[in-house]
Amino acid sequence: MITVLETGVLNSVQDAGRFGYRHLGVSSSGVMDLLALRCGNALLENAPDAACIEVQTFPFKVCFDKPLSFVVTGGEGTLTLGERKILPWSIVSAQEGDILTIDHPTIGARMYLCVCGGIDVPEVLGSRSTQLRGGFGGYHGRSLQQGDQLAGAGGCVADGFGVLPPSLVLNGACKAEKEKTVTLRAIPATDYFLFTEEARRHFWSASWQITAQSNRLGYRLKGGALHLQHPVELRSYGVIPGLIQVPPAGEPIVQMADANTAGGYPRIATVIEADLWRLAQARIGSYIQLQQCDQTEGLQAMRDVDSYLNDICNTSALYRKSLIRRDTGKAGKKS
Amino acid sequence: MTDTLSMLKNNSSGHSVDTPTISMIGTRAMLFEAPGAFTLANQRRIWALMDACAERADIEEVMPGVTNLMLIFSVPPENPEAVASWLRKAWETLPEKHIKGRLFEVGVRYGGELGGDLPRVAEHCGMSAQDVITLHQAPLYTVCALGSVPGFGYLHGLDPRLATPRKSVPSLKMLAGTVTIGGPQAGISALTGPNGWNSIGFTDLVMFDPERDPPALFAVGDQIRFYAESIEV
């Protein structure tokens, strides 16, 4: 068991998302930073969509009641296991009674506690993700509270190695990013040309600040109003994470993991799938800059992400093999 | 960069008159929007397109909206225009899909605290609360699509005389089961939470239960008739 000793609000069990029920109005949920989950699962040799705990309010403290290997990914910051400082993005094994503290990250906004075998909660509609608004999935359909007890499905694996976080490996849209500004690539969406030329220019040139009204549902941005050439009344249409809608007041909203599955506001653009993790790790109060891209560039960016993940899988497999060889060698000398 | 942009809307009205609008929503999703009015005939063509898309190996999820259809690809297309021309052709050639849905007779407790916007709707429409209730019960509504929140049905059939703008200040905690009017649309709220539609009554139906199979009460093509269980004006 993993017992939650201390938690802020809105920390929850999430996996790679709930798919196949969108046509019934069920949003995907799942982690905000899918790349962080995939990295953690790749290091632990878990299934790619195994569930983790998404931590977005800090400090978060758990106690392990049996030996269990884990990885904390997402951002970077101070992690303590018992008295010992440990590294994020690396496999660590907890012993019985060890207490892990995840403090506010110094880089990034969300941390992911991935454990060997994944967090074991019942699957609801094909996923272990918490659907917070619908009140189902995850841990009893709600965010975690002090005293909650979760089970990890695995035990221990070879530890002591890690990966470079994607922010150091993957090139974004812009190599030399301004401090506190993250550049995201976006593809113009359905109603792009219904906005005034001035609005379109402003959209790509402005520094958009992430307001405090930002959460797992969506990020509300501040930085000027975007106007349509004429008002339009749209019929309800499907919405996915990354879509940027513009309500009548003119300030855009980027839809995120818990976004409603349908909406009716004009759509100006969509942040590409390969850059969504960057947005998930951008903090309230920080700035984003949007850069126009097309399908070809968007797909190339996704290939870069996939190859980074493949490298992690290959490297950890190689590392494990070398450990086995070393152990076999030692055993040979003894006999 | 031009091939995806050429697929976007470029006239200044919201809906094209004769040709579909097809646009990419990021790299992985595509949205097909039917031309013309919100009619059942158009919605039935969307349902036909939905079935045809579900047959394609490169499409993972299809999600109908109100006279539109979103496709989520399992493998994002290198050339979206090829998919778009297939969609245009399918739209032109497929016959309407008629769904023989179930009929739900939904008992409503009109007015009262849980239907607190009934006077507002009556005033906006320039008629008595009783007339609003009568007109609301008259049509046979059709579930066009489910979406927004789990189990919420977009209904076709509201009498245009009852169209009432959404509230500028939403109710903060409208109960699931509230019978509503939002602009030209009728609905039954599926989740308790903030809601900008006008409440005119309440029903005990549970629109979504993850433990139920299927979890949503309504399915696309189902028909609904409202009747008054009680009236409090």
Side-chain angles (χ1 to χ4, degrees), chain A residues 3 5 44 55 61 96 103 109 220 223 289:
Chain A
T3 305
L5 301 180
L44 292 162
V55 186
K61 199 183 274 192
E96 182 184 332
D103 269 320
R220 282 177 182 265
Q289 172 99 45

Side-chain angles (χ1 to χ4, degrees), chain A residues 186-233:
Chain A
I187 299 177
T190 323
D191 307 304
Y192 181 72
F193 287 111
L194 303 190
F195 287 87
T196 63
E197 206 183 319
E198 165 58 26
R200 278 176 266 147
R201 198 169 49 235
H202 185 72
F203 179 72
W204 301 116
S205 62
S207 273
W208 295 102
Q209 189 175 28
I210 300 172
T211 68
Q213 288 79 48
S214 299
N215 51 34
R216 282 182 48 87
L217 283 154
Y219 282 23
R220 282 177 182 265
L221 306 179
K222 196 171 84 179
L226 303 171
H227 296 294
L228 292 161
Q229 297 174 43
H230 305 281
V232 286
E233 192 63 42

Side-chain angles (χ1 to χ4, degrees), chain A:
Chain A
M1 283 295 168
I2 306 162
T3 305
V4 178
L5 301 180
E6 191 178 341
T7 180
V9 290
L10 299 177
N11 296 328
S12 59
V13 176
Q14 298 292 343
D15 63 11
R18 183 171 279 110
F19 302 103
Y21 295 92
R22 188 168 285 281
H23 66 292
L24 302 182
V26 181
S27 61
S28 51
S29 308
V31 289
M32 291 279 277
D33 181 348
L34 185 59
L35 185 52
L37 173 71
R38 290 237 194 270
C39 286
N41 283 338
L43 274 168
L44 292 162
E45 290 191 312
N46 287 346
D49 55 353
C52 69
I53 297 176
E54 179 178 84
V55 186
Q56 42 183 11
T57 51
F58 303 88
F60 182 74
K61 199 183 274 192
V62 292
C63 178
F64 297 90
D65 79 345
K66 64 167 193 183
L68 184 64
S69 296
F70 66 89
V71 178
V72 179
T73 61
E76 288 177 62
T78 308
L79 306 175
T80 323
L81 185 67
E83 301 291 299
R84 181 159 67 103
K85 293 248 188 305
I86 57 165
L87 290 172
W89 304 92
S90 299
I91 305 184
V92 180
S93 294
Q95 299 310 310
E96 182 184 332
D98 275 354
I99 291 173
L100 169 70
T101 308
I102 304 177
D103 269 320
H104 213 289
T106 46
I107 297 174
R110 294 181 168 83
M111 303 293 274
Y112 294 89
L113 172 56
C114 307
V115 302
C116 190
I119 297 287
D120 191 14
V121 292
E123 272 194 12
V124 179
L125 302 179
S127 163
R128 294 186 169 84
S129 285
T130 315
Q131 227 280 359
L132 287 166
R133 280 195 75 194
F136 61 86
Y139 187 84
H140 301 297
R142 61 165 171 80
S143 50
L144 296 173
Q145 294 168 4
Q146 192 184 332
D148 286 349
Q149 293 197 310
L150 300 144
C156 285
V157 290
D159 54 27
F161 67 103
V163 292
L164 280 174
S167 56
L168 296 179
V169 178
L170 290 172
N171 286 329
C174 177
K175 278 197 180 122
E177 286 183 344
K178 282 177 280 178
E179 205 180 340
K180 285 195 165 184
T181 299
V182 53
T183 303
L184 305 169
R185 288 160 287 192
I187 299 177
T190 323
D191 307 304
Y192 181 72
F193 287 111
L194 303 190
F195 287 87
T196 63
E197 206 183 319
E198 165 58 26
R200 278 176 266 147
R201 198 169 49 235
H202 185 72
F203 179 72
W204 301 116
S205 62
S207 273
W208 295 102
Q209 189 175 28
I210 300 172
T211 68
Q213 288 79 48
S214 299
N215 51 34
R216 282 182 48 87
L217 283 154
Y219 282 23
R220 282 177 182 265
L221 306 179
K222 196 171 84 179
L226 303 171
H227 296 294
L228 292 161
Q229 297 174 43
H230 305 281
V232 286
E233 192 63 42
L234 302 176
R235 297 180 198 144
S236 298
Y237 59 81
V239 168
I240 56 164
L243 180 64
I244 306 174
Q245 295 174 306
V246 183
E251 292 196 307
I253 301 175
V254 192
Q255 299 299 319
M256 297 300 275
D258 283 345
N260 288 348
T261 64
Y265 291 138
R267 304 136 282 190
I268 191 163
T270 312
V271 175
I272 59 170
E273 199 182 0
D275 278 351
L276 277 179
W277 67 273
R278 297 177 198 276
L279 186 54
Q281 292 299 351
R283 295 187 193 187
I284 286 171
S286 68
Y287 291 85
I288 62 173
Q289 172 99 45
L290 293 149
Q291 190 180 91
Q292 188 170 344
C293 90
D294 63 12
Q295 181 77 359
T296 310
E297 292 166 70
L299 292 183
Q300 184 53 50
M302 204 58 218
R303 276 192 285 271
D304 294 345
V305 170
D306 289 342
S307 99
Y308 166 72
L309 278 169
N310 270 336
D311 283 352
I312 294 176
C313 290
N314 294 338
T315 313
S316 38
L318 275 175
Y319 184 83
R320 289 211 167 86
K321 244 191 246 166
S322 78
L323 280 183
I324 293 164
R325 265 204 296 276
R326 264 187 279 164
D327 289 350
T328 326
K330 275 180 210 158
K333 271 176 204 165
K334 270 182 200 166
S335 58

